[in-house]
């Protein structure tokens, strides 16, 4: 079908996209079409003051609007003739992208389509994501981003973010100067050692910071030009990558110890020197040993958090708080068994402790309600080689080797899987949970989907619909033989980190405490309605995630000013309006020059 030009209305698009798209067309149009044509939200306000002209405009994703440039813009910017003689609204462009997206046969190809769009037209990319976040988030982030990272050498099209290597020590400040944006507010950094549940992917891990920051914008409204993805390449211990001629990272074993720590120290200092003390630095997918160590080392010196530890904790506790409205009791009335004792488990455990203490329970009593199982069995007092984090949760109990046996002996009300051991929640374990509890809580939080401890269908079927289920990756709705239909809740960290980032940036918080993540968990849980709970949802629908992020940010801003932790003054009187005004819009800017005339007499030329 030939593209439709010249400010088309929705009715003229039906032949191109099919009648089934009619409701979508009505939603997309948003009253942009007028008798004069669909020219987008230019209005009287002027767009950014741009100094570029000509070909550079069409190659800059921040500025490029493709065929949405008006004729006047094309002439003034010197790009007339570089774009086909066709004028499209953003709505029409969106439908063209969706049509192309849906033609792809697999998720990796869909991922490449979206990343190519991000490289070409940033506004349209974010308009696409926000048009159906539930549909597109699994492509730009979990679970597809895991596959994309594994295939990063093949999927690589155009560099995004900053690659800093162990050989760049002493010169990181110079490397930061290579980044074209000066006003960076948020950085997501990884060293690629523990990507999702996939292990060491080295420099292929760059897909994670890129995907994460895309959700900062799509879900939280953080300006993408204020975001910087960073990959710290210190090598890889993945033999397959070291022997792969297409691998795009350093081809040697990981550098550890003093050199690694010096690189990290220099990076943190260089970032704050250039972008300020309140530049947010989010650690992502570091291996357990480094994750805890670096968080403890830097959390009180820089504006930083670890999403695998604190973000996962917040979204898990949000699900538990929502579940309490089903079980009709308090968090301290529950007993938790964790499959896994790594970053996520420790983060969740600590935040559960904080929430129980808020209910008035002593820390000593709260610790007795949290049981953790790692690869060697139940974590108990006296077991050798326990690190500090595990030692805190060690129980005074004989050794127990298997998760199934732990569940039988402890009789928990909730099992939480965060070890990326696929199928760990066996049929026997789920039957036992259903036997011990009227409403057993089952959180299979491992990513990607292939690593989930059980599926939503298994949980609901085996517990006869009584299970309260949440997962880390999305599962389709489940209909039981009795006709009950459930929409599994996805405990995705995207409910947490975009709102936290927006709130931290808005208030200028310089140190991010665990209290922020408990506030976030409570805010998310408060957005879950009784109808959601009846459908099996423990989280608000992803379609509402931008509003949820706004509410989280407002709560954080309010908390920061009340506790004297904000660094931006004066304090805004209307904090919601203040935060909302900071949020990025995917609507196109107008690049028409600000033209005006003086009175004719004032413009008269004087002659001799």
């Amino acid at each position: 079908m030939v593209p439709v030009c010249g400010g088309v209305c929705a009715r003229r698009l039906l032949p191109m996209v099919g009648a089934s798209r009619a409701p979508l067309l009505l939603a997309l149009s948003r009253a942009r079409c007028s008798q004069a044509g669909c020219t987008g939200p230019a209005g009287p306000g002027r767009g950014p003051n741009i100094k570029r002209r000509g070909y550079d405009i069409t190659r800059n994703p921040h500025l490029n609007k493709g065929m949405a440039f008006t004729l006047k813009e094309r002439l003034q910017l010197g790009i007339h003739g570089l774009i086909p003689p066709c004028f499209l609204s953003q709505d029409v462009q969106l439908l063209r992208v969706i049509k192309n997206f849906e033609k792809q046969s697999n998720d990796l190809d869909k991922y490449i389509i979206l990343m190519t769009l991000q490289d070409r037209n940033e506004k349209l990319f974010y308009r696409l994501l926000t048009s159906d976040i539930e549909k597109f988030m699994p492509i730009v982030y979990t679970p597809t981003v895991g596959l994309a990272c594994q295939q990063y050498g093949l999927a690589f099209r155009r560099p995004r973010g900053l690659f800093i290597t162990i050989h760049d020590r002493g010169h990181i400040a110079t490397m930061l100067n290579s980044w074209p944006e000066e006003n960076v507010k948020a950085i997501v950094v990884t060293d690629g050692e523990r990507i999702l549940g996939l292990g060491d992917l080295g420099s292929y891990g760059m897909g994670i910071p890129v995907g994460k920051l895309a959700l900062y914008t799509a879900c939280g409204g953080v300006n993408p030009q204020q975001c910087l993805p960073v990959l710290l390449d210190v090598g890889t211990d993945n033999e397959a990558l070291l022997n792969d001629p297409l691998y795009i990272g350093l081809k040697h074993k990981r550098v550890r110890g003093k050199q690694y720590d010096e690189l990290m120290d220099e990076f943190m200092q260089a970032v704050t020197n250039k972008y300020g003390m309140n530049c947010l630095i989010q650690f992502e997918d570091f291996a357990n040993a480094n994750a805890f160590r670096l968080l403890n080392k830097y959390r009180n010196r820089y504006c930083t958090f670890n999403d695998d530890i604190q973000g996962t904790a917040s979204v898990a506790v949000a699900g538990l708080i929502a579940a309490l409205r089903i079980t009709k009791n308090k968090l301290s009335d529950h007993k938790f068994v964790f499959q896994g004792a790594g970053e996520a488990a420790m983060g969740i455990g600590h935040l559960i402790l904080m929430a129980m203490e808020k209910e008035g329970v002593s820390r000593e009593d709260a610790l007795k309600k949290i049981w953790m199982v790692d690869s060697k069995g139940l974590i108990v007092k006296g077991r050798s080689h326990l690190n500090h984090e595990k030692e805190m949760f060690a129980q005074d109990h004989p050794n127990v080797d298997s998760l199934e046996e732990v569940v039988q002996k402890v009789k928990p009300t909730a099992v939480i899987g965060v070890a990326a051991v696929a199928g760990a929640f066996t049929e026997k374990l789920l039957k036992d949970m259903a036997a011990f509890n009227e409403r057993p809580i089952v959180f299979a939080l491992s990513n990607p989907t292939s690593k989930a401890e059980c599926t939503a269908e298994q949980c609901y079927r085996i517990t006869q619909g009584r299970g309260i289920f949440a997962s880390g990756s999305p599962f389709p709705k489940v209909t039981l033989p009795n006709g009950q239909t459930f929409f599994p809740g996805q405990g995705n960290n995207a409910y947490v980190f975009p709102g936290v980032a927006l709130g931290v940036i808005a208030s200028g918080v310089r140190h991010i405490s665990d209290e922020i993540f408990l506030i976030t968990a409570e805010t998310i849980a408060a957005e879950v309605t009784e109808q959601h709970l009846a459908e099996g949802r423990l989280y608000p629908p992803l379609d509402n995630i931008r509003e949820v992020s706004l509410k989280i940010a407002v709560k954080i801003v309010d908390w920061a000013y009340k506790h004297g932790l904000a660094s931006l003054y004066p304090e805004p009187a209307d904090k919601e309006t203040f935060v909302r005004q900071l949020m990025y819009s995917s609507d196109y800017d107008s690049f028409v020059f600000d033209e005006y005339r003086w009175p004719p007499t004032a413009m008269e030329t004087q002659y001799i």
Side-chain angles (χ1 to χ4, degrees):
M1 180 64 66
V2 177
V4 187
C5 305
V8 252
C9 292
R11 66 178 184 275
R12 293 177 59 190
L13 285 166
L14 288 175
M16 181 173 81
V17 298
S20 62
R21 285 286 180 196
L24 176 61
L25 288 168
L26 294 175
L28 292 177
S29 64
R30 298 198 302 183
R32 290 187 180 182
C33 295
S34 66
Q35 291 179 348
C38 302
T39 57
R46 299 300 168 189
N49 180 21
I50 58 172
K51 297 180 180 179
R52 300 184 184 217
R53 282 179 56 79
Y55 189 75
D56 284 349
I57 294 283
T58 65
R59 291 297 180 268
N60 186 320
H62 304 315
L63 304 176
N64 184 34
K65 299 197 290 186
M67 286 182 276
F69 283 111
T70 64
L71 180 60
K72 193 169 188 178
E73 287 175 322
R74 297 180 195 199
L75 290 169
Q76 291 185 348
L77 295 172
I79 58 175
H80 188 45
L82 300 179
I83 301 171
C86 181
F87 304 92
L88 303 180
S89 70
Q90 193 182 58
D91 294 335
V92 181
Q93 291 180 308
L94 180 61
L95 288 167
R96 287 165 60 92
V97 174
I98 291 173
K99 189 174 177 68
N100 192 17
F101 177 88
E102 291 177 345
K103 285 168 59 178
Q104 307 308 311
S105 58
N106 62 72
D107 286 345
L108 183 58
D109 287 342
K110 291 177 179 179
Y111 173 87
I112 292 171
I113 286 284
L114 296 187
M115 292 301 103
T116 303
L117 176 62
Q118 187 180 18
D119 289 336
R120 186 175 73 249
N121 184 332
E122 190 172 74
K123 292 270 190 179
L124 185 57
F125 172 74
Y126 287 111
R127 175 76 193 284
L128 178 73
L129 292 193
T130 54
S131 71
D132 191 345
I133 196 73
E134 195 158 1
K135 177 178 182 177
F136 295 112
M137 189 163 74
I139 302 298
V140 297
Y141 204 60
T142 56
T144 307
V145 73
L147 175 62
C149 286
Q150 290 175 305
Q151 303 292 326
Y152 205 73
L154 296 174
F156 187 78
R157 295 292 187 276
R158 176 177 171 177
R160 297 195 66 84
L162 207 55
F163 291 84
I164 298 173
T165 77
I166 190 69
H167 307 309
D168 297 312
R169 281 182 304 145
H171 306 282
I172 294 178
T174 303
M175 295 191 71
L176 290 176
N177 289 333
S178 300
W179 189 248
E181 305 297 337
E182 291 293 325
N183 188 29
V184 171
K185 299 289 187 184
I187 292 173
V188 175
V189 58
T190 184
D191 69 355
E193 188 171 6
R194 200 226 61 167
I195 298 299
L196 301 175
L198 302 172
D200 187 350
L201 296 184
S203 69
Y204 283 0
M206 178 57 101
I208 296 296
V210 169
K212 211 84 172 182
L213 287 170
L215 297 185
Y216 266 51
T217 302
C219 302
V222 178
N223 190 323
Q225 291 177 256
Q226 296 178 347
C227 297
L228 171 57
V230 175
L231 187 287
L232 299 177
D233 191 346
V234 297
T236 177
D237 292 336
N238 186 325
E239 290 294 336
L241 295 181
L242 291 174
N243 296 322
D244 184 355
L246 298 180
Y247 179 57
I248 61 174
L250 295 181
K251 290 192 175 182
H252 58 66
K253 292 285 189 179
R254 282 188 172 271
V255 174
R256 302 184 186 277
K258 182 180 178 184
Q259 287 180 292
Y260 180 92
D261 287 350
E262 287 175 350
L263 180 76
M264 289 302 310
D265 287 344
E266 184 185 348
F267 170 73
M268 299 297 286
Q269 190 61 53
V271 165
T272 52
N273 285 348
K274 183 171 179 63
Y275 302 122
M277 283 300 299
N278 52 359
C279 177
L280 170 63
I281 305 171
Q282 176 186 324
F283 287 98
E284 189 69 27
D285 287 350
F286 284 74
N288 287 355
N290 284 329
F292 289 115
R293 186 173 64 85
L294 295 176
L295 178 62
N296 291 332
K297 181 178 182 179
Y298 296 130
R299 67 188 306 168
N300 294 319
R301 295 167 54 191
Y302 298 99
C303 179
T304 187
F305 74 95
N306 184 304
D307 187 57
D308 303 303
I309 298 173
Q310 295 160 290
T312 301
S314 188
V315 78
V317 171
L320 292 173
I321 293 171
L324 297 179
R325 287 157 58 189
I326 299 173
T327 58
K328 309 295 185 186
N329 53 15
K330 297 187 296 183
L331 202 61
S332 51
D333 294 324
H334 288 265
K335 190 181 291 184
F336 306 89
V337 165
F338 285 80
Q339 164 63 19
E343 299 170 44
M346 294 300 166
I348 298 169
H350 279 286
L351 205 60
I352 288 175
L353 285 179
M354 183 182 264
M356 285 187 183
E357 287 177 314
K358 193 171 181 179
E359 290 181 351
V361 178
S362 69
R363 173 158 287 230
E364 183 182 2
D365 288 340
L367 282 167
K368 293 176 183 177
K369 298 175 182 293
I370 300 172
W371 300 65
M372 294 196 178
V373 179
D374 63 9
S375 58
K376 297 177 182 177
L378 181 65
I379 295 177
V380 296
K381 294 184 186 298
R383 201 176 92 178
S384 61
H385 305 298
L386 287 180
N387 60 30
H388 171 72
E389 288 79 18
K390 290 184 179 183
E391 209 168 62
M392 179 177 178
F393 291 99
Q395 297 289 346
D396 189 5
H397 192 279
N399 289 329
V400 182
D401 293 330
S402 72
L403 177 65
E404 281 187 355
E405 194 178 351
V406 170
V407 169
Q408 281 185 321
K409 292 180 179 297
V410 175
K411 295 181 173 53
T413 57
V415 287
I416 301 174
V418 283
V421 179
F425 294 169
T426 62
E427 183 170 348
K428 183 180 186 309
L429 183 149
L430 292 172
K431 283 182 175 178
D432 285 343
M433 287 295 295
F436 302 148
N437 304 284
E438 178 62 28
R439 300 303 303 270
I441 297 173
V442 179
F443 280 14
L445 299 181
S446 292
N447 286 314
T449 310
S450 60
K451 300 289 186 179
E453 288 75 15
C454 70
T455 66
E457 188 276 335
Q458 288 168 335
C459 175
Y460 290 127
R461 175 175 52 81
I462 293 170
T463 64
Q464 298 178 326
R466 293 188 286 117
I468 303 173
F469 179 81
S471 60
S473 287
F475 282 103
K477 70 177 182 180
V478 176
T479 301
L480 298 180
N482 64 6
Q484 276 185 292
T485 298
F486 298 95
F487 297 85
Q490 185 190 355
N492 195 311
N493 291 23
Y495 283 109
V496 175
F497 61 80
V500 169
L502 182 62
V504 167
I505 292 169
S507 58
V509 169
R510 292 184 175 176
H511 305 294
I512 303 174
S513 72
D514 284 335
E515 193 168 348
I516 283 179
F517 293 97
L518 185 56
I519 291 168
T520 300
E522 292 168 345
T523 305
I524 296 168
E527 294 302 304
V528 181
T529 67
E530 293 301 321
Q531 179 63 33
H532 295 152
L533 294 173
E535 295 172 346
R537 301 180 192 267
L538 295 181
Y539 300 95
L542 283 171
D543 286 347
N544 299 339
I545 197 167
R546 202 167 166 102
E547 281 301 308
V548 173
S549 294
L550 173 65
K551 290 182 179 181
I552 290 169
V554 172
K555 290 276 190 182
I556 291 171
V557 170
D558 188 55
W559 174 85
Y561 280 105
K562 281 182 178 176
H563 290 80
L565 298 175
S567 64
L568 301 179
Y569 286 89
E571 179 179 350
D574 185 341
K575 295 180 177 60
E576 182 174 338
T577 300
F578 168 71
V579 174
R580 196 180 289 277
Q581 288 173 344
L582 295 177
M583 296 177 75
Y584 175 79
S585 170
S586 60
D587 291 340
Y588 285 141
D589 294 312
S590 170
F591 296 124
V592 175
F593 296 164
D594 189 9
E595 294 182 310
Y596 59 97
R597 291 180 176 273
W598 288 5
T601 54
M603 294 190 296
E604 288 180 0
T605 303
Q606 297 184 23
Y607 298 97
I608 294 176

